Amino acid sequence: MPLKHTTLITWLMALLLILPIAVGLIGTLLPAFQYFPPLGEHQMAFTPWQNLFAQGEFYASLKLTLITGIVAPIIALWLALSLLAWGYERAFFKKFEALLSPLLAIPHAAIAIGLLFLLSPSGWLVRLFSPWLTGFDRPPNWISVQDPYGLSLIFALVIKEMPYLLFVMLATMKSIQARESLQVCQSLGYSRYTAWRKVLIPQLYPLIRLPIFIVITFSLTVVDLALVIGPNTPSTLAVTLFRWFNDPDLSMRFMASAGAVFLMLSIALVLGGWEMAHHLLSKITRTERSNGKRHGLTDAVLAVGRILGLVTLLSGFVALLLLPVWSLAKRWRFPDALPSQWTFDNLERAAPLLITLTSNTLIIALSATLIACLVSLLMLETKRLIATGTNQRNNTRAQHHAFDWLIYVPILLPQIGFLFGLHVLLIYLDLNGALSAIIALHLMYVLPYVYLTLKGPYLAYEEEYLRQANRLNHKPWRNYVLIKLAMLKPALFTAFAIGFSVSIAQYLPTLIAGEGRYSTLTTEAVAQAASGDRKQVGSMALLQAAFPILVFWLALTLPPRWTKWRLALKMTLKRKTKCSA
């Protein structure tokens, strides 16, 4: 790509990325200290913090948030490591890896709604064993979802986070030469689990530290998942803050802002505590890792994790399969395991609403993802040009590419911490409720995932192909598109699919920027989840889950067949031209 002023482009794009986040943080921080001129408050004070600490609901919500937000990542990491240690480099595990894509692509709200259909007292799991085993002719009076301890929320978080961590681990295995290390350990008599526990996991953890931090941050701040399947009395702190921010009493925004700042500080403390716990655990287990024993009792931890991991994945797939069942059910009385009558009337009745929601969802997702792909290509090309500069100083600067550091900020900061502050800016600019504002907020979260997905393949591309093409036909832009991007099709399609699924799943950015004027499948599914109309909710969740799966399937199917189809189409057009002549 023929670019000039690469350093200027880098810093300009970094500024465009970090400026709205900085404004959002300031817009949340100042009201936390009673300073908010739009409401007539021009003096700094600690009143919001005093009100926050006087709220009994705050402490209950914080306790629940810390329990669910720490326990879920620990379990997800344990199960992901167990499945990896069990199946890595085994023939059947390749097919197993392919099954991760649906769970990775499915938005959080769709998973939560599917689990509601599976685990609720009148859900499919109870129906499957009733009445022949349980004796239930009516739904039991159980609290199996939205329980006060957050167990259902933890389960939903694990189902969503464990495939992601496993996917990240699989992508980093070549970096630690896992196959060779495993072969050497097994030739020395170490069992498979012992080799992983003593040799491979200590090498793997530093490479996946950042994804683990992203998972922890998500667990502590998730809103849509907690609204659907999390406890209500009390709710998690993020949901409580969300409710305070939307309270008709505008003075509640001060206390909500203080709570958002406190939540960000809590995340920093949790991440620091996680690292301290990791270092402490490493010191405690150092002697055990080097004692030379070929087997250990702690291998059972990975063996149990393998079984629980398989059960968790199975639960996720069953939850997804229940979405089309409910959307097509006409009559499904308890305790029937399957509907007694099927119909398409549910979809037909909801068709006008579903068409509107689908069009909004696709416009936002496609726009944000396409822009993210273009920006990622631009920034990666500037990084490549700086890195290949003749001056060694340029190579050093390329290692400290500003965009590489700032790209992580949106996915590491809690949405509740700065989106409401950013909302004030949108109102000031008269962009609140605009479609462009929704796309811009979605872009903040889509761009990091697209950029990080493209980064490795793009920078590893052999530039000699493009140089030879430019020598034969000096048309830089044409050659860049028809040769370099054509050869990077698999990475581009994969990055697009990941960005598309991230955009589909966005809940808070759509609500805050759209102010209810543009509803999407995600926002409407979460809003309708508590309505009790499972048929309509199932239809929305089904469409919400279907589009990311379709795009992922296309990303896997199109690249290997693209050239063949293009040449066939070209030959067909040539024949038609000759015939017409």
Side-chain angles (χ1 to χ4, degrees):
M1 184 187 293
L3 287 178
K4 297 180 180 179
H5 311 296
T6 53
T7 304
L8 177 62
I9 293 173
T10 299
W11 285 104
L12 180 61
M13 295 305 299
L15 181 64
L16 290 176
L17 176 67
I18 202 64
L19 185 62
I21 298 175
V23 171
L25 288 173
I26 294 172
T28 301
L29 184 63
L30 292 180
F33 293 93
Q34 200 69 24
Y35 183 84
F36 196 53
L39 292 183
E41 297 291 343
H42 300 273
Q43 300 293 329
M44 304 285 280
F46 288 96
T47 306
W49 293 90
Q50 295 171 354
N51 295 336
L52 179 69
F53 294 139
Q55 283 280 340
E57 184 182 8
F58 166 72
Y59 296 100
S61 297
L62 178 62
K63 177 183 175 181
L64 185 63
T65 297
L66 293 177
I67 292 173
T68 57
I70 296 174
V71 172
I74 291 175
I75 296 176
L77 180 61
W78 167 40
L79 300 186
L81 288 171
S82 300
L83 288 174
L84 188 65
W86 165 63
Y88 184 69
E89 285 299 313
R90 289 180 171 172
F92 67 88
F93 203 65
K94 292 293 181 182
K95 297 180 180 179
F96 184 81
E97 293 174 25
L99 296 175
L100 295 178
S101 295
L103 286 180
L104 284 171
I106 300 304
H108 322 119
I111 287 283
I113 290 170
L115 287 176
L116 274 180
F117 295 164
L118 176 66
L119 302 176
S120 62
S122 60
W124 187 76
L125 194 61
V126 177
R127 293 169 183 262
L128 187 63
F129 297 100
S130 301
W132 61 274
L133 182 61
T134 62
F136 295 141
D137 291 320
R138 295 182 179 181
N141 189 20
W142 293 348
I143 308 178
S144 51
V145 292
Q146 297 183 324
D147 60 287
Y149 304 103
L151 298 179
S152 58
L153 177 58
I154 291 174
F155 187 49
L157 287 170
V158 171
I159 288 178
K160 190 60 186 169
E161 293 166 354
M162 187 257 288
Y164 169 70
L165 290 176
L166 185 55
F167 181 80
V168 170
M169 292 174 188
L170 287 168
T172 58
M173 293 310 293
K174 291 182 180 179
S175 304
I176 61 173
Q177 298 180 336
R179 180 188 301 175
E180 294 80 359
S181 299
L182 194 59
Q183 290 173 349
V184 170
C185 291
Q186 289 182 328
S187 67
L188 293 174
Y190 286 92
S191 69
R192 186 178 183 87
Y193 288 141
T194 303
W196 274 91
R197 185 169 46 81
K198 291 189 174 186
V199 178
L200 293 176
I201 291 178
Q203 297 180 62
L204 181 63
Y205 180 83
L207 301 178
I208 61 171
R209 180 184 283 109
L210 181 61
I212 291 174
F213 285 176
I214 293 173
V215 165
I216 294 171
T217 303
F218 172 77
S219 299
L220 291 168
T221 61
V222 64
V223 173
D224 51 350
L225 205 65
L227 280 172
V228 175
I229 203 170
N232 294 322
T233 50
S235 55
T236 59
L237 184 56
V239 175
T240 301
L241 297 177
F242 177 64
R243 193 176 69 251
W244 289 350
F245 271 115
N246 288 321
D247 196 285
D249 183 3
L250 295 180
S251 63
M252 293 290 289
R253 293 183 71 96
F254 298 112
M255 188 170 65
S257 297
V261 174
F262 189 91
L263 180 59
M264 287 189 284
L265 295 175
S266 300
I267 292 171
L269 290 175
V270 169
L271 295 180
W274 181 282
E275 274 301 287
M276 290 178 59
H278 169 250
H279 288 301
L280 181 61
L281 184 63
S282 298
K283 288 184 178 180
I284 292 174
T285 59
R286 183 177 299 169
T287 302
E288 194 274 337
R289 291 200 308 270
S290 59
N291 60 11
K293 291 183 178 180
R294 267 51 177 174
H295 299 273
L297 293 176
T298 48
D299 292 349
V301 175
L302 294 177
V304 172
R306 174 199 68 188
I307 298 172
L308 295 179
L310 291 174
V311 171
T312 301
L313 287 176
L314 180 62
S315 301
F317 282 110
V318 173
L320 293 179
L321 292 175
L322 289 175
L323 297 178
V325 173
W326 267 110
S327 62
L328 298 176
K330 180 177 183 180
R331 183 178 180 85
W332 195 359
R333 299 184 61 183
F334 189 89
D336 297 341
L338 290 173
S340 56
Q341 294 180 1
W342 301 80
T343 183
F344 285 97
D345 292 345
N346 302 329
L347 295 175
E348 292 177 2
R349 188 170 57 252
L353 176 61
L354 291 178
I355 291 173
T356 302
L357 296 176
T358 301
S359 60
N360 290 342
T361 301
L362 293 180
I363 289 171
I364 294 168
L366 291 173
S367 302
T369 309
L370 286 172
I371 295 172
C373 289
L374 293 174
V375 173
S376 298
L377 290 173
L378 175 66
M379 298 313 300
L380 288 169
E381 185 65 14
T382 62
K383 182 178 177 65
R384 185 194 67 79
L385 291 173
I386 293 175
T388 55
T390 55
N391 195 328
Q392 285 295 323
R393 234 175 3 152
N394 287 345
N395 291 330
T396 304
R397 283 190 306 169
Q399 302 301 320
H400 301 284
H401 199 287
F403 200 78
D404 283 347
W405 295 101
L406 297 176
I407 199 69
Y408 296 107
V409 175
I411 52 181
L412 283 175
L413 280 178
Q415 293 182 347
I416 204 77
F418 71 92
L419 284 182
F420 282 97
L422 191 57
H423 186 216
V424 178
L425 176 64
L426 294 178
I427 295 174
Y428 180 77
L429 297 175
D430 198 23
L431 291 175
N432 54 310
L435 184 63
S436 57
I438 302 174
I439 294 173
L441 287 195
H442 278 234
L443 181 62
M444 289 174 53
Y445 294 97
V446 172
L447 181 59
Y449 291 97
V450 172
Y451 179 82
L452 295 174
T453 304
L454 276 177
K455 183 178 178 182
Y458 193 94
L459 297 180
Y461 176 77
E462 180 53 62
E463 291 292 325
E464 190 60 29
Y465 292 111
L466 196 56
R467 294 193 194 99
Q468 293 293 340
N470 286 328
R471 291 189 185 107
L472 294 172
N473 184 6
H474 189 67
K475 294 181 178 179
W477 282 103
R478 181 178 182 276
N479 292 334
Y480 177 80
V481 174
L482 296 182
I483 295 176
K484 184 170 183 176
L485 294 188
M487 296 177 71
L488 289 171
K489 280 197 301 289
L492 283 169
F493 276 79
T494 302
F496 183 90
I498 291 174
F500 183 85
S501 63
V502 170
S503 179
I504 290 285
Q506 294 305 311
Y507 176 70
L508 270 186
T510 309
L511 275 185
I512 292 172
E515 293 189 337
R517 301 179 192 177
Y518 290 93
S519 295
T520 62
L521 290 169
T522 299
T523 58
E524 195 66 21
V526 173
Q528 295 288 336
S531 66
D533 188 355
R534 294 186 176 183
K535 298 171 184 177
Q536 185 174 9
V537 174
S539 301
M540 294 178 186
L542 175 62
L543 280 177
Q544 187 193 17
F547 286 116
I549 291 177
L550 175 63
V551 172
F552 262 91
W553 177 78
L554 291 175
L556 294 174
T557 304
L558 289 180
R561 298 169 175 82
W562 181 277
T563 302
K564 179 182 177 181
W565 291 347
R566 182 177 62 82
L567 293 177
L569 179 62
K570 186 176 181 181
M571 293 300 296
T572 303
L573 292 176
K574 280 186 177 180
R575 290 193 193 100
K576 288 184 177 180
T577 304
K578 289 180 180 179
C579 292
S580 61

